[in-house]
Amino acid sequence: MKTARLTLKNYRGFSDQSPATVEIGGGLTALLGPNNAGKSSLKLLFYELRALFGTWLNGVNSSPSLLTNISGQAVSINYPDTSDPTEIFNNSNERDITVEIEVLDPTQEPGELQLRQNAVRHVVHKLVATCARNSPNSWHAKIFSRSAGNAPLKSPNGYTEANVPFCYYNGEGSQLFDCRDLLEIVRAFRDARYYGAFRNTLNQGSSNYYDFQIGTAFIDLWNNWKTAGNKSHSRAITKITEEIRRLFDFRQLEINASVSLKTLLVTIDGNQYRLGEMGSGISQFIMALGNAATSAPSIILIDEPETNLHPALQIDFLLTLAQYASVGCVFSTHSVGLARSVATSIFTVQKGNNGPVVRPFEATHSYAEFLGELSFSAFRDMGCDRILLVEGVNDVKAVQQLLRLVGKEHTTVILPLGGDQLVAGGREHELEELKRLSENVYALVDSERPDASAAAAQRRVQFEQICNRIGFGVCVTQKRALENYFPDSAVKAAFGASFSALGPYDRLDQHPNGWAKSDNWKIAHHVKEEDLMQTDVGRFLSEI
């Protein structure tokens, strides 16, 4: 999915005087802010407008409702769990709700699309939908293309299909609307799943909490997937169980529904417990991973993933959960440290005079302040006694997966250096500040070697020299970069048989079937201990 810019005006707390704009794409997106600032409302939109997204996709390749909608016909929907549809409107004015979805980098090449002679191709990059308070269930839509300027595209005389899905000619066939990127985003929005902060209850009847099955509904789901005989379902439950066993360092773990289907029975190292007897942390793992694995979400939207979890488990929980989303994960949090450790992008949500104010998070240039935000001392009190420096946020997530293989994930705090900002010469003072927090500081950085005979990049050599001078353990990779260490089996396990591993010095951006660097962690999750320990990176991580 292309990265989408979503803008909301007059939806719930977001007035048109202070509209909310966020960007959503692959990887993890953090919404950072205090309680009652509006973080949950941003995610609730996907739940409440799912029917609208689905209607735009209904009948694709036969009677696409989006084109009917932009021709003037309203789309009528209901909002789940909402008794009064006007409650989704902002209370500060009487104006329409506006939802804008924009493709940030639409595909300009037609690819397999066969264009009719003399037809004009419009790459649709934006959709604007509106809903009036006096007709709160009816939505109108307009679509836009940069090739048509600021005027919305219209199809007054019907449409015909092109030879590629999501591409349509107008009635005369003189204009083609290429909606591929836009409707792929709409599909991802439709298939997103919202998990609120209340995620660990089983003591009630069959029920849903937004998209989160709880009570006996979840027990029935778990039991059916585990015992009904569907091999793929059974493998999914086995995978969840094994991941939880490894994360909590149990020797043996088994999770079964009780005979009465009223609770789950958890057997840990030979001792059986009802789920209600367990801590809320393990309950959250079981229920969140179970819900995600059984619903195949495109985007997971989750409130406060750090709730009820030991600091050392918060990153584990979020990254393990995110792997069940085909596109990405959007999470709201109070923890600056968690957001900065794992999120590809961060947006702050703060209270303002005209409602919540949403804006991109501006990283501080003070590394000491950054560590203070991350509350390293709190991690140290919980048993974390060492710092591992890596290049960027993407490396935090990947290395966290590799640390599991050497049993160091719960004793190590991983911090991103910000790439060349600090992985270079002339940064001795900033790096030495870290010694005030821990005597055990290590660094793992890419060498960027173009081939086996070449030395590491000069700035990486200078960084290594500084680390050696101030007493940091350091590994400048023998291969080009971290992604060059992933075996072919792990790459295929993460993305499928059509993908293949990099050579020792291949560039990821030049690989014929490469992946986004932000997805490295998904591959690292499938790396085996024996493969890792044959490398300089594995030996370094085992010795920190």
Side-chain angles (χ1 to χ4, degrees), residues 52-193:
L52 179 61
F53 302 142
T55 298
W56 285 334
L57 293 166
N58 283 345
V60 166
N61 297 333
S62 59
S63 178
S65 295
L66 176 61
L67 296 203
T68 303
N69 201 189
I70 67 169
S71 298
Q73 182 176 321
V75 167
S76 182
I77 65 168
N78 292 316
Y79 310 107
D81 304 331
T82 304
S83 57
D84 179 3
T86 62
E87 72 180 54
I88 73 169
F89 287 75
N90 185 266
N91 292 326
S92 67
N93 62 66
E94 298 294 321
R95 292 185 287 276
D96 295 354
I97 291 177
T98 301
V99 176
E100 297 181 10
I101 302 172
E102 182 177 0
V103 186
L104 290 188
D105 186 22
T107 303
Q108 298 301 323
E109 294 299 322
E112 59 187 325
L113 182 63
Q114 298 172 8
L115 198 64
R116 291 182 184 176
Q117 188 176 9
N118 299 323
V120 176
R121 172 173 169 255
H122 295 295
V123 178
V124 178
H125 77 286
K126 185 166 70 172
L127 184 155
V128 179
T130 58
C131 180
R133 191 184 295 264
N134 61 6
S135 185
N137 297 100
S138 296
W139 286 81
H140 293 82
K142 297 177 181 179
I143 57 175
F144 296 81
S145 169
R146 293 189 177 94
S147 57
N150 295 323
L153 299 171
K154 295 182 179 180
S155 181
N157 300 316
Y159 52 86
T160 56
E161 301 168 53
N163 60 306
V164 173
F166 301 150
C167 297
Y168 314 101
Y169 287 103
N170 68 345
E172 296 85 6
S174 58
Q175 296 186 88
L176 180 132
F177 302 154
D178 188 342
C179 303
R180 282 177 288 182
D181 292 334
L182 178 68
L183 288 181
E184 196 62 34
I185 289 170
V186 170
R187 175 184 285 169
F189 284 6
R190 179 199 63 184
D191 295 338
R193 294 296 178 264

Side-chain angles (χ1 to χ4, degrees), residues 112-350:
E112 59 187 325
L113 182 63
Q114 298 172 8
L115 198 64
R116 291 182 184 176
Q117 188 176 9
N118 299 323
V120 176
R121 172 173 169 255
H122 295 295
V123 178
V124 178
H125 77 286
K126 185 166 70 172
L127 184 155
V128 179
T130 58
C131 180
R133 191 184 295 264
N134 61 6
S135 185
N137 297 100
S138 296
W139 286 81
H140 293 82
K142 297 177 181 179
I143 57 175
F144 296 81
S145 169
R146 293 189 177 94
S147 57
N150 295 323
L153 299 171
K154 295 182 179 180
S155 181
N157 300 316
Y159 52 86
T160 56
E161 301 168 53
N163 60 306
V164 173
F166 301 150
C167 297
Y168 314 101
Y169 287 103
N170 68 345
E172 296 85 6
S174 58
Q175 296 186 88
L176 180 132
F177 302 154
D178 188 342
C179 303
R180 282 177 288 182
D181 292 334
L182 178 68
L183 288 181
E184 196 62 34
I185 289 170
V186 170
R187 175 184 285 169
F189 284 6
R190 179 199 63 184
D191 295 338
R193 294 296 178 264
Y194 174 43
Y195 303 155
F198 190 58
R199 294 187 293 271
N200 58 8
T201 183
L202 280 174
N203 59 350
Q204 58 179 287
S206 180
S207 183
N208 278 33
Y209 174 56
Y210 297 112
D211 290 317
F212 203 77
Q213 293 204 49
I214 57 178
T216 56
F218 178 74
I219 299 168
D220 289 340
L221 178 68
W222 183 277
N223 186 59
N224 182 63
W225 273 57
K226 185 166 186 178
T227 65
N230 184 302
K231 290 184 178 180
S232 64
H233 290 180
S234 178
R235 283 195 294 267
I237 296 298
T238 299
K239 178 183 177 184
I240 294 169
T241 305
E242 174 57 22
E243 286 178 333
I244 295 171
R245 183 204 64 76
R246 184 174 59 179
L247 289 169
F248 283 86
D249 200 25
F250 300 140
R251 293 191 306 276
Q252 178 267 339
L253 177 66
E254 184 73 20
I255 306 169
N256 296 302
S258 66
V259 174
S260 64
L261 299 180
K262 297 296 184 184
T263 189
L264 291 178
L265 301 177
V266 183
T267 303
I268 301 173
D269 299 338
N271 298 306
Q272 189 175 89
Y273 309 89
R274 290 176 176 271
L275 190 60
E277 300 176 76
M278 306 296 298
S280 56
I282 190 171
S283 297
Q284 178 173 216
F285 267 82
I286 292 171
M287 297 193 69
L289 298 186
N291 271 276
T294 54
S295 61
S298 56
I299 302 169
I300 291 176
L301 309 138
I302 184 167
D303 285 329
E304 300 172 22
E306 69 270 25
T307 301
N308 301 319
L309 291 177
H310 182 293
L313 281 174
Q314 292 171 8
I315 293 176
D316 281 333
F317 172 66
L318 195 51
L319 294 184
T320 303
L321 180 65
Q323 70 172 309
Y324 290 96
S326 60
V327 173
C329 177
V330 179
F331 67 98
S332 59
T333 181
H334 306 296
S335 171
V336 179
L338 180 62
R340 297 193 68 170
S341 292
V342 301
T344 308
S345 57
I346 305 174
F347 293 86
T348 59
V349 185
Q350 297 173 290

